Amino acid sequence: MNFDPRITPARPDLAARYLQGKVAAARFVEGEEREVIDAQAPMREAPSPDAPLMTEALMGERVTVYEFNDEGWAWGQLADDGYVGWLPASALLAPRGAATHTVTALRTLAFPGPSIKLPPVAMPPLGARLTVVRVLHPFVVSSIGFVPAAHVVPLDKSESDFVAVAERFLGTPYLWGGKTNYGLDCSGLVQVALNACGIPCPRDSDMQERALGTPVDAKSLRRGDLMFWKGHVAIVRDENMLLHANAFHMAVAVEPIAEAIARVSAGGSEITSVRRLSGR
């Protein structure tokens, strides 16, 4: 069977137990659940700090770890989008309890006490999940400290306009594999914005093109349509403009659709599809 290696926890020497009989590996293991405790943790292609960044796991995300090595790395699979790779073991702990809230600010601050004058102990990004134990206005008290109540909402509350969420990242640096306001890539922007609206979304643009929405004519664009090229995705802002994280601007930028299509076409790539999410 042909499994996508990006979302299949299998190597020649080791694989997840649930893949036994489906893939070849020297041994199979059950895996151990862990929780991301850093604001964001890099998931890399290899167990090295200079290995390519594949994606990022955000605070509160769950990971099934299949191996811890002696150099401080953990090989596992993210629960949300299924991505597989190497994370710093120091960014993971045994699950501390169910998350109750999610961060809605591009980035918030957690303080060790109920005062903004104290030095923050953590800076979780949009999409990070926290366990809130009580409200002490204007803060919520969480497992990581005192967080401004205005920056979080209960998990059952979602944003209504993913394009508006994406627009908040305007000017953010382009970072291959990134998913926060420190830096993100084209598909990371789409994934984070859709997730904020409670819409599950794969990690990479080719996965998104296969999984999201239905095809529409590129001549009848609406706000929220997703425009795909090979290896790239952009969000239609309106009938004339699109929004995307891209290496040309090295940032999240808005530009005229016609100019973007011409520029990308001049580089040898044509639109592969435009897809519209249901209800838009």
Side-chain angles (χ1 to χ4, degrees):
M1 298 179 71
N2 186 22
F3 291 97
D4 188 333
R6 295 170 294 179
I7 54 173
T8 306
R11 309 182 328 224
D13 62 321
L14 178 67
R17 179 77 67 190
Y18 73 83
L19 292 171
Q20 194 162 9
K22 300 177 181 178
V23 301
R27 62 190 179 97
F28 296 85
V29 298
E30 290 293 345
E32 304 174 24
E33 188 177 41
R34 292 291 187 271
E35 177 182 339
V36 177
I37 59 168
D38 285 359
Q40 73 260 2
M43 176 170 269
R44 299 195 179 278
E45 191 175 285
S48 170
D50 58 2
L53 180 67
M54 301 169 68
T55 188
E56 292 178 311
L58 306 184
M59 178 178 283
E61 190 165 356
R62 300 299 174 91
V63 186
T64 301
V65 176
Y66 297 101
E67 180 184 39
F68 291 95
N69 72 12
D70 294 334
E71 286 75 45
W73 292 88
W75 183 72
Q77 183 171 33
L78 303 180
D80 287 357
D81 61 21
Y83 230 86
V84 175
W86 292 91
L87 295 157
S90 60
L92 308 174
L93 277 183
R96 299 174 291 183
T100 61
H101 288 64
T102 187
V103 175
T104 56
L106 283 182
R107 192 168 293 270
T108 191
L109 302 173
F111 301 95
S115 171
I116 61 172
K117 296 180 180 180
L118 297 171
V121 294
M123 295 187 290
L126 187 148
R129 296 170 212 160
L130 309 175
T131 302
V132 172
V133 295
R134 64 191 176 99
V135 177
L136 187 64
H137 190 74
F139 299 99
V140 294
V141 185
S142 73
S143 55
I144 62 167
F146 292 74
V147 176
H151 289 178
V152 299
V153 296
L155 286 178
D156 60 359
K157 291 187 177 181
S158 299
E159 300 274 0
S160 59
D161 183 352
F162 88 92
V163 183
V165 176
E167 287 172 334
R168 289 157 59 188
F169 285 92
L170 276 171
T172 297
Y174 180 85
L175 174 65
W176 181 276
K179 287 177 56 174
T180 81
N181 67 323
Y182 286 167
L184 40 61
D185 59 17
C186 64
S187 55
L189 176 65
V190 170
Q191 185 185 53
V192 168
L194 287 176
N195 285 171
C197 295
I199 302 171
C201 178
R203 178 58 180 91
D204 293 343
S205 61
D206 63 317
M207 300 173 175
Q208 294 170 355
E209 186 172 15
R210 290 192 299 268
L212 298 175
T214 55
V216 295
D217 192 326
K219 296 179 181 178
S220 58
L221 297 173
R222 291 184 193 168
R223 179 179 173 87
D225 288 345
L226 297 176
M227 185 174 290
F228 290 93
W229 294 261
K230 184 178 180 180
H232 188 61
V233 58
I235 301 168
V236 174
R237 195 185 196 195
D238 56 43
E239 61 182 8
N240 297 311
M241 307 293 286
L242 57 72
L243 168 75
H244 56 157
N246 66 94
F248 177 78
H249 296 95
M250 281 307 294
V252 177
V254 169
E255 66 176 315
I257 292 173
E259 289 184 15
I261 291 174
R263 175 168 50 77
V264 177
S265 177
S269 184
E270 303 296 334
I271 294 173
T272 54
S273 73
V274 176
R275 304 190 68 86
R276 181 167 298 158
L277 304 181
S278 61
R280 300 199 70 85

